[in-house]
Amino acid sequence: MMFLGLEWYWWLVILGVLAISIPVKVKFMKWWNERQREKKKEQRGKWGDEND
C-alpha cells in the first residue's frame, strides 16, 4: 500500500521523527530564550553603570 509515492512504513518513520523532534525543538527554544534573557541581564549589570 502506497500513499503519495511512499510505503506505509516510511510514513510511520516520518511521523515518529516528527513526534520526537517537535517537543525537543520546543524545549530547546524555551531553554534558548531563557539563556538569552540571562545574557541580557548579565550585560546590563556589567555595563549599565557606565555613563561616559
Side-chain angles (χ1 to χ4, degrees):
M1 187 168 92
M2 293 181 71
F3 183 68
L4 294 177
L6 292 176
E7 291 289 340
W8 64 270
Y9 50 84
W10 285 116
W11 288 109
L12 289 179
V13 170
I14 292 169
L15 288 175
V17 168
L18 287 175
I20 293 169
S21 66
I22 291 173
V24 169
K25 182 179 178 180
V26 169
K27 191 168 188 143
F28 173 78
M29 292 302 292
K30 285 181 182 177
W31 171 80
W32 184 259
N33 287 335
E34 186 65 31
R35 184 172 173 259
Q36 293 299 323
R37 201 175 312 132
E38 287 176 11
K39 276 189 173 184
K40 282 184 182 178
K41 273 188 199 174
E42 206 173 276
Q43 280 183 344
R44 262 190 238 125
K46 200 181 291 181
W47 305 108
D49 297 333
E50 294 181 1
N51 292 326
D52 293 333

Short mmCIF file of all heavy atoms in Angstrom, two decimals:
data_model
loop_
_atom_site.label_atom_id
_atom_site.label_comp_id
_atom_site.label_asym_id
_atom_site.label_seq_id
_atom_site.Cartn_x
_atom_site.Cartn_y
_atom_site.Cartn_z
N MET A 1 0.85 -1.19 0.00
CA MET A 1 0.00 0.00 0.00
C MET A 1 0.89 1.25 0.00
O MET A 1 1.77 1.39 0.84
CB MET A 1 -0.88 0.00 1.26
CG MET A 1 -1.91 1.10 1.24
SD MET A 1 -3.14 0.91 2.53
CE MET A 1 -2.40 1.85 3.83
N MET A 2 0.67 2.13 -0.95
CA MET A 2 1.46 3.35 -1.07
C MET A 2 0.57 4.58 -0.94
O MET A 2 -0.59 4.56 -1.34
CB MET A 2 2.19 3.38 -2.42
CG MET A 2 3.25 2.32 -2.56
SD MET A 2 4.11 2.39 -4.14
CE MET A 2 5.05 3.88 -3.95
N PHE A 3 1.15 5.62 -0.37
CA PHE A 3 0.45 6.89 -0.24
C PHE A 3 1.44 8.00 -0.60
O PHE A 3 2.49 8.10 0.01
CB PHE A 3 -0.07 7.07 1.19
CG PHE A 3 -0.85 8.34 1.38
CD1 PHE A 3 -2.09 8.50 0.78
CD2 PHE A 3 -0.35 9.36 2.16
CE1 PHE A 3 -2.82 9.67 0.94
CE2 PHE A 3 -1.07 10.53 2.33
CZ PHE A 3 -2.30 10.68 1.73
N LEU A 4 1.13 8.79 -1.61
CA LEU A 4 2.00 9.84 -2.13
C LEU A 4 3.38 9.30 -2.50
O LEU A 4 4.41 9.94 -2.26
CB LEU A 4 2.13 10.99 -1.13
CG LEU A 4 0.86 11.79 -0.84
CD1 LEU A 4 1.12 12.84 0.22
CD2 LEU A 4 0.31 12.43 -2.11
N GLY A 5 3.43 8.10 -3.03
CA GLY A 5 4.68 7.52 -3.51
C GLY A 5 5.55 6.88 -2.45
O GLY A 5 6.65 6.44 -2.76
N LEU A 6 5.11 6.84 -1.20
CA LEU A 6 5.90 6.23 -0.14
C LEU A 6 5.15 5.04 0.46
O LEU A 6 3.92 5.07 0.59
CB LEU A 6 6.19 7.24 0.99
CG LEU A 6 7.13 8.39 0.64
CD1 LEU A 6 7.24 9.34 1.83
CD2 LEU A 6 8.51 7.91 0.25
N GLU A 7 5.89 4.02 0.82
CA GLU A 7 5.28 2.88 1.51
C GLU A 7 4.79 3.32 2.88
O GLU A 7 5.27 4.31 3.45
CB GLU A 7 6.31 1.75 1.65
CG GLU A 7 6.69 1.09 0.33
CD GLU A 7 5.57 0.24 -0.24
OE1 GLU A 7 4.67 -0.16 0.50
OE2 GLU A 7 5.61 0.00 -1.46
N TRP A 8 3.89 2.55 3.45
CA TRP A 8 3.28 2.91 4.73
C TRP A 8 4.29 3.00 5.85
O TRP A 8 4.18 3.85 6.73
CB TRP A 8 2.17 1.92 5.09
CG TRP A 8 2.68 0.51 5.31
CD1 TRP A 8 2.81 -0.45 4.38
CD2 TRP A 8 3.15 -0.04 6.54
NE1 TRP A 8 3.31 -1.59 4.93
CE2 TRP A 8 3.54 -1.37 6.27
CE3 TRP A 8 3.27 0.44 7.84
CZ2 TRP A 8 4.05 -2.20 7.25
CZ3 TRP A 8 3.78 -0.39 8.82
CH2 TRP A 8 4.16 -1.70 8.52
N TYR A 9 5.34 2.17 5.82
CA TYR A 9 6.29 2.19 6.94
C TYR A 9 7.14 3.46 6.92
O TYR A 9 7.60 3.91 7.97
CB TYR A 9 7.17 0.93 6.96
CG TYR A 9 7.83 0.58 5.63
CD1 TYR A 9 9.01 1.17 5.26
CD2 TYR A 9 7.23 -0.35 4.78
CE1 TYR A 9 9.61 0.86 4.05
CE2 TYR A 9 7.82 -0.68 3.58
CZ TYR A 9 9.03 -0.07 3.21
OH TYR A 9 9.62 -0.38 2.04
N TRP A 10 7.35 4.06 5.75
CA TRP A 10 8.08 5.33 5.72
C TRP A 10 7.26 6.43 6.38
O TRP A 10 7.81 7.34 7.01
CB TRP A 10 8.45 5.70 4.30
CG TRP A 10 9.59 4.88 3.78
CD1 TRP A 10 9.55 4.01 2.75
CD2 TRP A 10 10.92 4.83 4.31
NE1 TRP A 10 10.78 3.42 2.60
CE2 TRP A 10 11.64 3.90 3.54
CE3 TRP A 10 11.57 5.47 5.36
CZ2 TRP A 10 12.97 3.61 3.79
CZ3 TRP A 10 12.90 5.19 5.60
CH2 TRP A 10 13.59 4.27 4.82
N TRP A 11 5.94 6.37 6.22
CA TRP A 11 5.10 7.36 6.89
C TRP A 11 5.18 7.19 8.41
O TRP A 11 5.16 8.18 9.15
CB TRP A 11 3.65 7.26 6.40
CG TRP A 11 3.51 7.79 5.01
CD1 TRP A 11 3.27 7.08 3.87
CD2 TRP A 11 3.63 9.16 4.60
NE1 TRP A 11 3.24 7.92 2.79
CE2 TRP A 11 3.46 9.21 3.20
CE3 TRP A 11 3.87 10.35 5.28
CZ2 TRP A 11 3.52 10.39 2.48
CZ3 TRP A 11 3.93 11.54 4.56
CH2 TRP A 11 3.75 11.55 3.18
N LEU A 12 5.27 5.94 8.87
CA LEU A 12 5.45 5.72 10.31
C LEU A 12 6.77 6.29 10.79
O LEU A 12 6.84 6.91 11.86
CB LEU A 12 5.39 4.22 10.65
CG LEU A 12 4.02 3.57 10.54
CD1 LEU A 12 4.13 2.08 10.88
CD2 LEU A 12 3.04 4.25 11.47
N VAL A 13 7.82 6.11 10.00
CA VAL A 13 9.13 6.67 10.35
C VAL A 13 9.06 8.19 10.41
O VAL A 13 9.54 8.82 11.37
CB VAL A 13 10.21 6.20 9.35
CG1 VAL A 13 11.51 6.95 9.56
CG2 VAL A 13 10.42 4.70 9.45
N ILE A 14 8.44 8.79 9.39
CA ILE A 14 8.33 10.26 9.36
C ILE A 14 7.52 10.77 10.55
O ILE A 14 7.91 11.74 11.22
CB ILE A 14 7.69 10.72 8.02
CG1 ILE A 14 8.67 10.44 6.88
CG2 ILE A 14 7.30 12.18 8.07
CD1 ILE A 14 8.06 10.61 5.50
N LEU A 15 6.41 10.12 10.85
CA LEU A 15 5.59 10.54 12.00
C LEU A 15 6.36 10.37 13.31
O LEU A 15 6.26 11.21 14.21
CB LEU A 15 4.29 9.75 12.04
CG LEU A 15 3.27 10.12 10.96
CD1 LEU A 15 2.07 9.17 11.03
CD2 LEU A 15 2.82 11.56 11.13
N GLY A 16 7.13 9.29 13.41
CA GLY A 16 7.94 9.08 14.62
C GLY A 16 8.98 10.17 14.80
O GLY A 16 9.17 10.70 15.90
N VAL A 17 9.65 10.54 13.72
CA VAL A 17 10.66 11.60 13.79
C VAL A 17 10.01 12.93 14.18
O VAL A 17 10.54 13.66 15.02
CB VAL A 17 11.40 11.72 12.44
CG1 VAL A 17 12.23 12.98 12.38
CG2 VAL A 17 12.27 10.49 12.20
N LEU A 18 8.86 13.24 13.59
CA LEU A 18 8.16 14.47 13.95
C LEU A 18 7.70 14.46 15.40
O LEU A 18 7.80 15.46 16.11
CB LEU A 18 6.96 14.69 13.03
CG LEU A 18 7.28 15.12 11.60
CD1 LEU A 18 6.00 15.19 10.78
CD2 LEU A 18 7.98 16.46 11.59
N ALA A 19 7.19 13.30 15.85
CA ALA A 19 6.71 13.20 17.23
C ALA A 19 7.84 13.41 18.23
O ALA A 19 7.60 13.89 19.34
CB ALA A 19 6.05 11.84 17.44
N ILE A 20 9.05 13.06 17.84
CA ILE A 20 10.19 13.26 18.74
C ILE A 20 10.78 14.66 18.58
O ILE A 20 11.10 15.32 19.57
CB ILE A 20 11.26 12.19 18.48
CG1 ILE A 20 10.72 10.81 18.89
CG2 ILE A 20 12.55 12.51 19.21
CD1 ILE A 20 11.58 9.66 18.44
N SER A 21 10.90 15.14 17.35
CA SER A 21 11.61 16.39 17.12
C SER A 21 10.84 17.63 17.55
O SER A 21 11.45 18.60 17.99
CB SER A 21 11.99 16.51 15.64
OG SER A 21 10.85 16.62 14.84
N ILE A 22 9.52 17.64 17.43
CA ILE A 22 8.76 18.84 17.79
C ILE A 22 8.87 19.15 19.28
O ILE A 22 9.20 20.28 19.64
CB ILE A 22 7.31 18.74 17.29
CG1 ILE A 22 7.30 18.81 15.76
CG2 ILE A 22 6.43 19.83 17.89
CD1 ILE A 22 5.95 18.56 15.13
N PRO A 23 8.64 18.20 20.20
CA PRO A 23 8.82 18.52 21.62
C PRO A 23 10.26 18.90 21.97
O PRO A 23 10.49 19.79 22.79
CB PRO A 23 8.41 17.24 22.35
CG PRO A 23 7.55 16.51 21.38
CD PRO A 23 8.06 16.88 20.02
N VAL A 24 11.24 18.28 21.31
CA VAL A 24 12.64 18.63 21.55
C VAL A 24 12.90 20.06 21.11
O VAL A 24 13.57 20.82 21.81
CB VAL A 24 13.58 17.64 20.83
CG1 VAL A 24 15.01 18.13 20.85
CG2 VAL A 24 13.49 16.26 21.47
N LYS A 25 12.36 20.45 19.97
CA LYS A 25 12.54 21.82 19.49
C LYS A 25 11.89 22.82 20.43
O LYS A 25 12.47 23.87 20.73
CB LYS A 25 11.95 21.97 18.08
CG LYS A 25 12.16 23.34 17.52
CD LYS A 25 11.62 23.50 16.14
CE LYS A 25 11.83 24.93 15.68
NZ LYS A 25 11.33 25.16 14.35
N VAL A 26 10.69 22.53 20.91
CA VAL A 26 10.01 23.43 21.83
C VAL A 26 10.83 23.60 23.10
O VAL A 26 11.03 24.72 23.59
CB VAL A 26 8.59 22.91 22.15
CG1 VAL A 26 7.96 23.67 23.31
CG2 VAL A 26 7.71 23.00 20.92
N LYS A 27 11.35 22.49 23.63
CA LYS A 27 12.16 22.55 24.84
C LYS A 27 13.44 23.35 24.60
O LYS A 27 13.85 24.16 25.43
CB LYS A 27 12.50 21.13 25.30
CG LYS A 27 13.10 21.07 26.66
CD LYS A 27 13.13 19.66 27.18
CE LYS A 27 13.56 19.68 28.63
NZ LYS A 27 12.87 18.71 29.42
N PHE A 28 14.07 23.15 23.43
CA PHE A 28 15.28 23.89 23.09
C PHE A 28 14.99 25.38 22.98
O PHE A 28 15.77 26.20 23.47
CB PHE A 28 15.87 23.37 21.77
CG PHE A 28 17.02 24.20 21.28
CD1 PHE A 28 18.27 24.04 21.84
CD2 PHE A 28 16.84 25.13 20.27
CE1 PHE A 28 19.33 24.81 21.40
CE2 PHE A 28 17.90 25.90 19.83
CZ PHE A 28 19.14 25.74 20.39
N MET A 29 13.87 25.76 22.37
CA MET A 29 13.53 27.18 22.21
C MET A 29 13.30 27.83 23.57
O MET A 29 13.71 28.97 23.79
CB MET A 29 12.30 27.35 21.32
CG MET A 29 12.53 26.98 19.87
SD MET A 29 13.84 27.90 19.07
CE MET A 29 13.11 29.53 19.01
N LYS A 30 12.64 27.13 24.49
CA LYS A 30 12.44 27.67 25.83
C LYS A 30 13.78 27.87 26.52
O LYS A 30 14.02 28.91 27.14
CB LYS A 30 11.55 26.74 26.65
CG LYS A 30 10.10 26.80 26.26
CD LYS A 30 9.27 25.88 27.14
CE LYS A 30 7.82 25.88 26.72
NZ LYS A 30 7.02 24.95 27.51
N TRP A 31 14.67 26.89 26.40
CA TRP A 31 15.99 26.98 27.01
C TRP A 31 16.78 28.13 26.39
O TRP A 31 17.42 28.91 27.09
CB TRP A 31 16.75 25.65 26.83
CG TRP A 31 18.18 25.73 27.24
CD1 TRP A 31 18.66 25.65 28.50
CD2 TRP A 31 19.32 25.93 26.38
NE1 TRP A 31 20.02 25.77 28.49
CE2 TRP A 31 20.45 25.95 27.20
CE3 TRP A 31 19.46 26.07 25.00
CZ2 TRP A 31 21.72 26.11 26.68
CZ3 TRP A 31 20.72 26.25 24.49
CH2 TRP A 31 21.84 26.27 25.32
N TRP A 32 16.72 28.28 25.06
CA TRP A 32 17.46 29.32 24.36
C TRP A 32 16.96 30.70 24.78
O TRP A 32 17.77 31.60 25.02
CB TRP A 32 17.32 29.12 22.85
CG TRP A 32 18.13 30.10 22.07
CD1 TRP A 32 17.69 31.23 21.46
CD2 TRP A 32 19.55 30.03 21.83
NE1 TRP A 32 18.74 31.86 20.84
CE2 TRP A 32 19.89 31.16 21.05
CE3 TRP A 32 20.54 29.12 22.19
CZ2 TRP A 32 21.20 31.40 20.64
CZ3 TRP A 32 21.83 29.37 21.77
CH2 TRP A 32 22.15 30.49 21.01
N ASN A 33 15.65 30.88 24.88
CA ASN A 33 15.10 32.18 25.28
C ASN A 33 15.53 32.52 26.70
O ASN A 33 15.88 33.67 26.99
CB ASN A 33 13.58 32.18 25.17
CG ASN A 33 13.13 32.24 23.73
OD1 ASN A 33 13.84 32.72 22.86
ND2 ASN A 33 11.92 31.75 23.47
N GLU A 34 15.53 31.55 27.59
CA GLU A 34 15.97 31.78 28.97
C GLU A 34 17.44 32.17 29.00
O GLU A 34 17.84 33.08 29.73
CB GLU A 34 15.73 30.52 29.80
CG GLU A 34 16.02 30.70 31.27
CD GLU A 34 15.08 31.67 31.95
OE1 GLU A 34 13.91 31.77 31.53
OE2 GLU A 34 15.52 32.34 32.90
N ARG A 35 18.24 31.49 28.19
CA ARG A 35 19.68 31.78 28.12
C ARG A 35 19.92 33.20 27.61
O ARG A 35 20.76 33.93 28.14
CB ARG A 35 20.33 30.76 27.19
CG ARG A 35 21.82 30.86 27.09
CD ARG A 35 22.36 29.66 26.30
NE ARG A 35 23.76 29.81 26.05
CZ ARG A 35 24.29 30.23 24.91
NH1 ARG A 35 23.49 30.50 23.90
NH2 ARG A 35 25.57 30.35 24.75
N GLN A 36 19.18 33.61 26.59
CA GLN A 36 19.33 34.97 26.05
C GLN A 36 18.92 36.01 27.09
O GLN A 36 19.57 37.06 27.22
CB GLN A 36 18.48 35.13 24.78
CG GLN A 36 18.95 34.29 23.62
CD GLN A 36 20.35 34.61 23.17
OE1 GLN A 36 20.76 35.77 23.17
NE2 GLN A 36 21.09 33.60 22.78
N ARG A 37 17.86 35.72 27.82
CA ARG A 37 17.41 36.65 28.86
C ARG A 37 18.48 36.82 29.95
O ARG A 37 18.75 37.92 30.41
CB ARG A 37 16.10 36.14 29.47
CG ARG A 37 15.31 37.22 30.14
CD ARG A 37 13.95 36.75 30.64
NE ARG A 37 13.21 36.01 29.63
CZ ARG A 37 12.61 34.84 29.87
NH1 ARG A 37 12.65 34.30 31.06
NH2 ARG A 37 11.95 34.23 28.92
N GLU A 38 19.11 35.69 30.33
CA GLU A 38 20.17 35.75 31.34
C GLU A 38 21.37 36.53 30.82
O GLU A 38 21.98 37.30 31.56
CB GLU A 38 20.59 34.35 31.75
CG GLU A 38 19.58 33.65 32.62
CD GLU A 38 19.96 32.22 32.94
OE1 GLU A 38 21.11 31.83 32.66
OE2 GLU A 38 19.11 31.48 33.47
N LYS A 39 21.71 36.37 29.55
CA LYS A 39 22.83 37.11 28.98
C LYS A 39 22.54 38.61 29.00
O LYS A 39 23.43 39.41 29.29
CB LYS A 39 23.09 36.66 27.54
CG LYS A 39 23.95 35.44 27.44
CD LYS A 39 24.34 35.21 25.99
CE LYS A 39 25.35 34.10 25.87
NZ LYS A 39 25.82 33.93 24.49
N LYS A 40 21.31 39.01 28.67
CA LYS A 40 20.96 40.43 28.68
C LYS A 40 21.06 41.00 30.09
O LYS A 40 21.56 42.10 30.29
CB LYS A 40 19.56 40.65 28.12
CG LYS A 40 19.50 40.59 26.62
CD LYS A 40 18.10 40.90 26.12
CE LYS A 40 18.07 40.80 24.61
NZ LYS A 40 16.72 41.05 24.09
N LYS A 41 20.58 40.25 31.07
CA LYS A 41 20.68 40.69 32.47
C LYS A 41 22.12 40.87 32.87
O LYS A 41 22.49 41.85 33.52
CB LYS A 41 20.03 39.66 33.39
CG LYS A 41 18.57 39.81 33.61
CD LYS A 41 18.13 38.85 34.69
CE LYS A 41 16.64 38.63 34.65
NZ LYS A 41 16.22 37.59 35.59
N GLU A 42 22.97 39.91 32.48
CA GLU A 42 24.39 39.94 32.81
C GLU A 42 25.05 41.17 32.20
O GLU A 42 25.83 41.85 32.85
CB GLU A 42 25.04 38.67 32.27
CG GLU A 42 26.27 38.24 33.00
CD GLU A 42 26.76 36.89 32.51
OE1 GLU A 42 26.24 35.87 32.97
OE2 GLU A 42 27.64 36.89 31.64
N GLN A 43 24.73 41.48 30.96
CA GLN A 43 25.32 42.63 30.29
C GLN A 43 24.87 43.92 30.95
O GLN A 43 25.67 44.83 31.15
CB GLN A 43 24.92 42.67 28.81
CG GLN A 43 25.74 41.73 27.96
CD GLN A 43 25.39 41.84 26.49
OE1 GLN A 43 24.33 42.39 26.13
NE2 GLN A 43 26.23 41.31 25.64
N ARG A 44 23.60 44.02 31.32
CA ARG A 44 23.10 45.22 31.99
C ARG A 44 23.83 45.45 33.31
O ARG A 44 24.22 46.54 33.63
CB ARG A 44 21.61 45.12 32.24
CG ARG A 44 20.81 45.83 31.19
CD ARG A 44 19.35 45.93 31.58
NE ARG A 44 18.56 45.29 30.53
CZ ARG A 44 17.70 44.32 30.70
NH1 ARG A 44 17.42 43.90 31.91
NH2 ARG A 44 17.06 43.81 29.70
N GLY A 45 24.01 44.38 34.06
CA GLY A 45 24.69 44.52 35.33
C GLY A 45 26.15 44.89 35.17
O GLY A 45 26.70 45.64 35.96
N LYS A 46 26.78 44.41 34.11
CA LYS A 46 28.19 44.66 33.89
C LYS A 46 28.45 46.06 33.34
O LYS A 46 29.36 46.75 33.76
CB LYS A 46 28.74 43.61 32.93
CG LYS A 46 30.24 43.47 32.99
CD LYS A 46 30.73 42.42 32.00
CE LYS A 46 30.30 41.03 32.41
NZ LYS A 46 30.78 39.99 31.49
N TRP A 47 27.64 46.48 32.37
CA TRP A 47 27.93 47.72 31.64
C TRP A 47 26.91 48.82 31.92
O TRP A 47 27.09 49.95 31.46
CB TRP A 47 27.95 47.46 30.14
CG TRP A 47 28.89 46.36 29.74
CD1 TRP A 47 28.55 45.12 29.33
CD2 TRP A 47 30.32 46.39 29.76
NE1 TRP A 47 29.68 44.38 29.09
CE2 TRP A 47 30.77 45.12 29.34
CE3 TRP A 47 31.25 47.36 30.10
CZ2 TRP A 47 32.12 44.82 29.24
CZ3 TRP A 47 32.60 47.06 30.00
CH2 TRP A 47 33.03 45.80 29.58
N GLY A 48 25.88 48.56 32.65
CA GLY A 48 24.82 49.54 32.83
C GLY A 48 25.19 50.74 33.69
O GLY A 48 24.57 51.76 33.61
N ASP A 49 26.25 50.64 34.50
CA ASP A 49 26.60 51.71 35.43
C ASP A 49 27.52 52.76 34.80
O ASP A 49 27.76 53.80 35.39
CB ASP A 49 27.25 51.13 36.68
CG ASP A 49 26.30 50.22 37.44
OD1 ASP A 49 25.08 50.44 37.32
OD2 ASP A 49 26.76 49.32 38.15
N GLU A 50 28.06 52.50 33.61
CA GLU A 50 28.98 53.44 32.99
C GLU A 50 28.23 54.52 32.23
O GLU A 50 27.36 54.26 31.42
CB GLU A 50 29.91 52.69 32.01
CG GLU A 50 30.84 51.74 32.74
CD GLU A 50 31.77 51.03 31.77
OE1 GLU A 50 31.72 51.29 30.55
OE2 GLU A 50 32.52 50.19 32.25
N ASN A 51 28.55 55.78 32.52
CA ASN A 51 27.88 56.90 31.87
C ASN A 51 28.88 57.80 31.17
O ASN A 51 28.76 59.02 31.17
CB ASN A 51 27.08 57.71 32.89
CG ASN A 51 25.91 56.93 33.44
OD1 ASN A 51 25.32 56.14 32.72
ND2 ASN A 51 25.60 57.14 34.71
N ASP A 52 29.91 57.28 30.56
CA ASP A 52 30.95 58.10 29.92
C ASP A 52 30.50 58.63 28.59
O ASP A 52 30.03 58.03 27.75
CB ASP A 52 32.24 57.30 29.74
CG ASP A 52 32.86 57.00 31.10
OD1 ASP A 52 32.62 57.79 32.01
OD2 ASP A 52 33.59 56.00 31.21
#
